[in-house]
Amino acid sequence: MAASNPSVFLLTVNGHIEGANFPEYDNLYCKYCFVYGHDWAPTTGLEEGITQIASKSSQASHRLIWNFPLATTFKSTNPSGWPQLVVSVYGPDVFGNDVVRGYGATHIPFTPGQHTKTIPMFVPEPTWRLQKFTGWLTGRRPEYTDPKVVAQGEGREVTRVHSQGFVSVSFLIMTKDMKKMDYETGPSGPANKPSATSG
Amino acid sequence: MYSFYSLQIQVGKGLPTAEEAFNFFTLNFDPDPPDVIETSSRRRQKQRKTTDEDEEHEDSEEAPLVQTQEDLFVIDQSPQDFLEIRKAEYVGYQKLLQLQSELLFTPSFRTVPTSIKLPENMKPRYLEDEGLYVGERPPVSLTNENILENRILKMEEGKKWFGDDGRIIALPNPIKESSTRPPLFHMEEALDPALQTVYRKSKYANLYIAGAADPEGDYQLDVDVSGLIFSHHPLFSREHILGARLAQMYDQYLTRQRNNLTGHLTDKLNGLRNALRNMLESHSGLNPTQALQQRISEYNLEVRNTRHLRDSEQEKDRTLLKNIVKVWKEIKALREFQKFTNTPYKLYLRRENVDRVSDEQDYEDEILAEVVELEAETEEEYQNKLAEYKKRLEEWKLCRKKQAQDDTEGEDEEQDVSESEGPTDEPPPKPEPPERPDLGSIEQWVREKALRIRRKPGEAILIPELSASANITASELCPRAEKARREDVARRSLFTKILYNDKEVSRTDSRSLNTDFRVHFGQIFNLKIVNCPQSISLQVFEEIGSSCSLLAQVFLPVPEPSVVTGSVPLEEFEFSSNQRVMFDHEGVGSDVPLSFEADGSNKQSLLTSGKVSCCVSWGIGDDDVPLAPPISQQPGGGHLDAVSYIGASGLYDMKKIGEWAKQSRLDPNDPKNASIMQLLKVASSGEVTAPEYFRLEHLQEEFNFVTDEELEKSGRFRLLKLRNQEVAEFRNYKFIPALEREVTDTVFQEYEKRLKEGEVIDTKEHLDSHRALVAKYLQKIRESVINRFLLAKHHYLLSDLVTEEEIPTIGEGSGINLFKLAEPKRPLKPQRKERKKVTAQNLSDGDIKLLVNIIRAYDIPVRRLQSKPFVEVSFQRTVLQTATADGPNPCWNEELQLPFSAPNGDYSTASLQSVKDEVFINIFDEVVHETNDKNRGKSIQTHIEKRWLGSVKIPFSTIYSQSKIDGTFKVNTPAVLLGYSKEKSHFTNSGFDILRSLSEGTFITLFITVDPQLVPGESVREKVSLNGDLKKPLFDTQEDERLLQASERFERDAAQRYPDRPCITTVIDLSGKTVFITRYIRPLSPPKELLDEFPNNPLEATPLVARFVSLIPSLPDQVSFSATCDLWSTCDQFLTLLAGDEEEHAVLLCNYFLSLGKKAWLIIGTAIPEGPTAYVLTLEQNLYLIWNPSSGQFYGQYDTFCPLQAVGCLVNADNVWFNIQQYTSPMRVSFDITKANLWKPFFSRTFSHPGLSSVQPEELVYRRTDRAAAAELQDRIERILKEKIMEWRPRQPTRWNRYCTTTLKQFLPKLELIRGQDVAEGHRHELQSLLGDYRISGFPLNLVFSEIRPIIEAVYSTGIHSVQASNVEFALAVYVHPYPNNVMSVWIYLASLVLT
């Protein structure tokens, strides 16, 4: 691949899954994976991972800290199917069963630079109230068949969710050859201030 | 004491007497001594008897009350007479309510009918429906609104509170929907950095002028309010109006005089004329050149224009003068009439005498010059017209001539011409010659004009001079009304407020209104400012006594920074107010019609108006530095004040307004801006014309990032498009190159080839044109079905996305669940747990393994001495084998793991379903030959040879859909195995033997599964039935609604009670319609040829018929239709397509049996290895037989090796019966369908059979067998197979034993005749004797013909080509037996011969 005539562009994602804020739960861990389109491929780094179990500090701050590093490089030919980070948080319930505490997804930022994203998390709701009870009892809450569902829009209309908690992720984004392939991703460099929270 | 008593008395008696009253007021209330004694004694008493009760006290007090009275007043009435005892006034509750209801009004809750709220005979008008902007009303609960409405309606003029739509008029809801504060995600102190509040100067800070914050940079605006003059004021008298008019006209006159446009233009005209004259004179002799002519005509034009201008100016001057005189005359007349003077105006007309002679001379000269010019102009015009006329005349003549010519030519042509040119070639009307202008009249016209607009020659020039020297009549002499007016004027005073940025900053002193309606303020205000000036305005207030009212507001433009005090003159700003004022005195008022004519006509109404003279400028500091901000930046992009932007005088300039509207980005939808928008629209409508067409997506083009042609041309876009459409070849295409040049055409080759194939039938691959056609047809159906299902695929169910525990049914109760919690972790008797299912998409190559557990086999053909059978499993060209075992009933118990890779690495459900690969399980016999190599002496070479004994093949799709296959299968053994025989049982008494005698053939027990367990694709049908509303758009139907509902109910019930028993009542036919299943069953006669073979007993033909059916190739629907969906074709379709799955085979077989007079049913059940399938049940001599339609085999009801595992329901033409017995295994099931407790019928007494007609044709038409085609096919297969075998043996030479081949070939038709059932022992002997010296091993294969590929696969899987012996020879014979309708039975005899 000649440097002057690239046929792919590279997107390097560094960063951290910094932590989460789940006021009601403790001892949580987080799984992450990337979801991307057909024209994307990870070249280096882990595509999915799982953090340690973190419990809240006894101090005033009730934040869970994972500080789990992300370092992945993607190559692509087409911005369609831009990678998304899918995080799902799990933790034990009252009976010690591992249950899901939240799903969430965010797109990897387009622009190079540092970004901090706060991902609101949600979990699927049981269909019936009775099921909610039995689910609570047996520790088998409704879960997505595949956490990657939260990165796609299709079919979501059949689910009901309720939101709980936030996960904050910081990204350090680098791109290579995007400009050369005529993709503009807006202002880059130092002018780019940390963006606001994601919706 | 006394007073107390007396008061008591008064109260008791009512009114006191006069004396009493007198005493009360006058007497000194000296206490009476006895009373004092009494009281003191009582006090003592009290002291003494402290223990006395209170009652006693009271008594003792009560007593003196009356006594004292008697003592004090000598009144002969007893106190009782003054007291009147009455009942307390009490009003009953009901009455109270009644009274209250008279007084109180309780508004009703009910909705008020609109008719009451609106004026009579008016319909409610809904502005919103008319497309007008209506703000959102603030939310009010309906009850409250009703109460309010009812209340309002009770009031006077209640209706005025209701709008046109019959609702209470309300302002739009002022509450913003979005909260102004962003949601706080973090509750603790460690706030997200993105949410950290950052101090930013408030928005308003932008309005400050830069540098205004520091003390040096102070800016100062000087507002000089000099004074104001009213051009009309309500207190004007008539004379004032005229006076104002006169003054105005005089002003105008003066301005005009100062500009002296007339004089200027006259001079210009003269100059032009002179120049023209000079030019003409200097070139008089010469021929005028082109340039000169051009210049002359230019001069002429200029002269003409200037003359016109001068004339109009002169006319204006004259008219003005005339008007001045007229108004002055009116004033004089008015003063005369009213006998007093109000205004000081006095007009003098100064005469300036002129030299009469020279003046007349000038006048005449002027007229003459003008006449000459006009004549020249008219002449020129005439000439132009004449030329035009001539030209047109010429044309006309030409036209006439042409027509005349046409007339003479042939009729046809004439018609042609008239047709083609007829309408356009109307003879043009003969042009009229222009009239010659009357030159004489020109002079007359000029003179008239001159008379009108110019001073008469010799007349004195009149110069009006207006002075304010007239005496105003003193008030005493005026009539009463005028006096009142003047008093009123005197009472009034005016002041102005100065508003800076809409805030009052200062105001002028109040000055009284003068009689001449001028107010002089003469005040300069220095405004020290910090905010950017947005608007400066003056408000003129009028004060009468203490009340003041706003007269008008005047906007002043913000001065440029260069405008500084001292350098700017005062400007006059007009103002006006539309207040209506009327007086009963001489004041004319404002906005009141008044007339100056005697008859009251020509009414006009004047509004209060006037001019403020003032100026705004930037102040100058001490050191002559202007206190103006630097050229200021536009204050933000925010709202610009229109007036400050444009300046008051520019408000009539549309352009400026437009510019302003653009800059300030007015919201065109805001009703507040509606008027401006309307104005701008009207103003600009002259220039911009709206398009007359309407385009739906007029912005579409702007969204296209490349043109359509480019999009078509580009390979990359094409690739992207195809992938998006999920075209099979590109469905999971990875990495579409980013650059056009990297897309190679080879990518499309396959796709294009497939597209082409659709049209061209490839006979080569199919060997048979008919089958090629069928393949094409199938392909088409498949496509249409796929399209139909693409839609369904994108409908998700909750279960697709969310895994959720089922609610335990009430019967089992949650108690069991609770019990489960207490279960031991490792129970003694563990229960089988379901393996976790894996969704297909997150898999990759190598993740999936096919586990084949080969347990044992029964009754394997054995060699004479011994046999060492082993099993070889091949799947996707991976071959694995077990260890060898011994004997005819070997037990391997071995697990083989075969890797599985999905096509194109696509592990989606749809892709996995369409995997066509099959698992071949071949049983081989290992034969070890020991050959003494003579050359080498002692060394012994061992050849291991494997000989094929039989095979089982299981399609992967079956494994995938069933997730596991567990059972004993009949091994497909060749009819003849040379060198092998079935071991005859030595222990005839053993129980096993009895079973074996019932079932002939070899069996193998297998367990196959996929690891990890894949989620089988949900059938579309299932999905459809789950969300019932989807059913209709997907599958239309001709069935009765009631029937469909009933069938749905039936199936649902069945699924609920017996979830593992298949129950089908409706199926989908090839056109995608839902059809009731019984419609498929109808007696249909099998081909005549088959019956003809057994003319005596048609029942004998039964096996033959079954064989015929089994020879029709099988094609699982899952494979062909990728989505799991059962399509049922009718028998004729089936026979035409020559492909179908078990259901079609079963239906056809069932129909044949029915026509043969048998009692036959369709069994819907599960079998191994097919899974849910259809078999046929017949009843023959009290014995139930179960037929496998795809193999043609039949089993008794109690056959152990019957592949049918479960019976779900039975179907015949009349009814469907569902198995409600305890067991499903055919062995334990009673097939007596008349028993309602065992079989639940679909049609019962409550829901009788509606007489459904069959979808099957009345009769099947068969094509004759084509023997020639069969022979040709036979040759081709033989050739291809020979080539293939040689191809598979690239290292060794492949020799063909011709002799053996011919022998075998003769043998094959016999095998077909006996349907390969009887193993001909004799045949082996025959062969052996023929080929004495050879050790022969071989077998015939019988295959169903569909394509060549499966045949090759089958031959390959026998491994016959892998014989390594150097001196091996092969024999291959092919025989194709044709059956009616192109059904072929293919026999392949393979043998390897080794010379011993």
Side-chain angles (χ1 to χ4, degrees), chain B residues 356-387:
Chain B
R356 194 180 179 93
V357 183
S358 68
D359 198 37
E360 263 175 27
Q361 184 62 39
D362 284 352
Y363 189 78
E364 282 305 311
D365 281 353
E366 176 60 41
I367 285 176
L368 204 66
E370 201 173 326
V371 166
V372 169
E373 276 165 21
L374 277 177
E375 271 174 2
E377 272 168 36
T378 11
E379 182 62 32
E380 197 186 320
E381 205 176 325
Y382 173 70
Q383 289 302 338
N384 282 346
K385 271 190 186 164
L386 203 64

Side-chain angles (χ1 to χ4, degrees), chain B residues 1082-1357:
Chain B
R1082 175 185 208 167
L1084 290 167
S1085 62
K1088 234 177 153 28
E1089 287 96 326
L1090 303 182
L1091 298 179
D1092 284 348
E1093 292 195 23
F1094 306 95
N1096 308 326
N1097 188 0
L1099 283 184
E1100 292 276 316
T1102 311
L1104 192 62
V1105 168
R1107 175 158 174 78
F1108 172 72
V1109 172
S1110 72
L1111 282 175
I1112 302 172
S1114 261
L1115 184 77
D1117 282 341
Q1118 286 167 20
V1119 178
S1120 52
F1121 299 129
S1122 78
T1124 320
C1125 161
D1126 248 347
L1127 295 190
W1128 285 39
S1129 46
T1130 58
C1131 290
D1132 53 332
Q1133 284 165 341
F1134 178 48
L1135 284 171
T1136 325
L1137 291 175
L1138 284 180
D1141 61 2
E1142 303 96 8
E1143 287 92 356
E1144 274 101 31
H1145 284 92
V1147 167
L1148 185 65
L1149 189 64
C1150 184
N1151 290 345
Y1152 283 163
F1153 284 166
L1154 287 172
S1155 92
L1156 290 175
K1158 290 172 187 287
K1159 278 194 160 181
W1161 295 269
L1162 213 60
I1163 306 176
I1164 308 293
T1166 48
I1168 47 166
E1170 305 99 309
T1173 184
Y1175 275 55
V1176 177
L1177 177 78
T1178 55
L1179 175 63
E1180 291 181 59
Q1181 295 143 15
N1182 299 326
L1183 263 180
Y1184 287 101
L1185 291 183
I1186 295 162
W1187 294 78
N1188 182 351
S1190 3
S1191 69
Q1193 304 269 353
F1194 66 92
Y1195 307 86
Q1197 194 191 342
Y1198 305 106
D1199 193 332
T1200 345
F1201 294 107
C1202 176
L1204 189 67
Q1205 300 291 299
V1207 179
C1209 54
L1210 294 182
V1211 180
N1212 76 356
D1214 304 320
N1215 213 339
V1216 178
W1217 293 270
F1218 182 68
N1219 179 7
I1220 49 171
Q1221 305 171 48
Q1222 194 180 354
Y1223 302 102
T1224 55
S1225 164
M1227 265 186 274
R1228 309 172 84 165
V1229 158
S1230 158
F1231 285 109
D1232 189 0
I1233 50 169
T1234 52
K1235 286 184 180 156
N1237 59 340
L1238 302 180
W1239 295 95
K1240 181 188 171 193
F1242 181 79
F1243 295 114
S1244 57
R1245 236 170 265 158
T1246 50
F1247 186 67
S1248 58
H1249 192 276
L1252 299 170
S1253 61
S1254 177
V1255 289
Q1256 305 284 11
E1258 296 220 353
E1259 208 174 340
L1260 291 174
V1261 183
Y1262 301 96
R1263 272 174 294 141
R1264 299 283 306 164
T1265 47
D1266 190 353
R1267 293 192 180 278
E1272 197 198 325
L1273 186 65
Q1274 182 179 318
D1275 290 347
R1276 285 176 72 178
I1277 292 173
E1278 191 174 337
R1279 204 173 56 241
I1280 289 169
L1281 283 181
K1282 274 185 176 169
E1283 277 169 17
K1284 284 283 172 190
I1285 288 173
M1286 292 196 298
E1287 201 180 287
W1288 295 330
R1289 295 168 57 83
R1291 303 283 163 88
Q1292 292 97 350
T1294 309
R1295 283 184 291 273
W1296 298 98
N1297 190 321
R1298 278 172 194 283
Y1299 181 62
C1300 182
T1301 303
T1302 42
T1303 320
L1304 294 175
K1305 202 169 256 179
Q1306 285 162 9
F1307 181 60
L1308 282 174
K1310 284 185 216 159
L1311 277 175
E1312 171 61 38
L1313 209 63
I1314 57 167
R1315 292 181 294 285
Q1317 274 172 352
D1318 286 322
V1319 182
E1321 192 71 19
H1323 161 65
R1324 204 181 62 224
H1325 292 299
E1326 193 183 333
L1327 263 183
Q1328 210 66 40
S1329 61
L1330 279 171
L1331 308 153
D1333 294 338
Y1334 288 97
R1335 197 176 67 233
I1336 183 165
S1337 69
F1339 44 84
L1341 292 174
N1342 185 15
L1343 296 165
V1344 170
F1345 177 73
S1346 58
E1347 275 177 76
I1348 188 74
R1349 204 179 58 87
I1351 296 175
I1352 296 169
E1353 277 303 300
V1355 171
Y1356 181 85
S1357 73

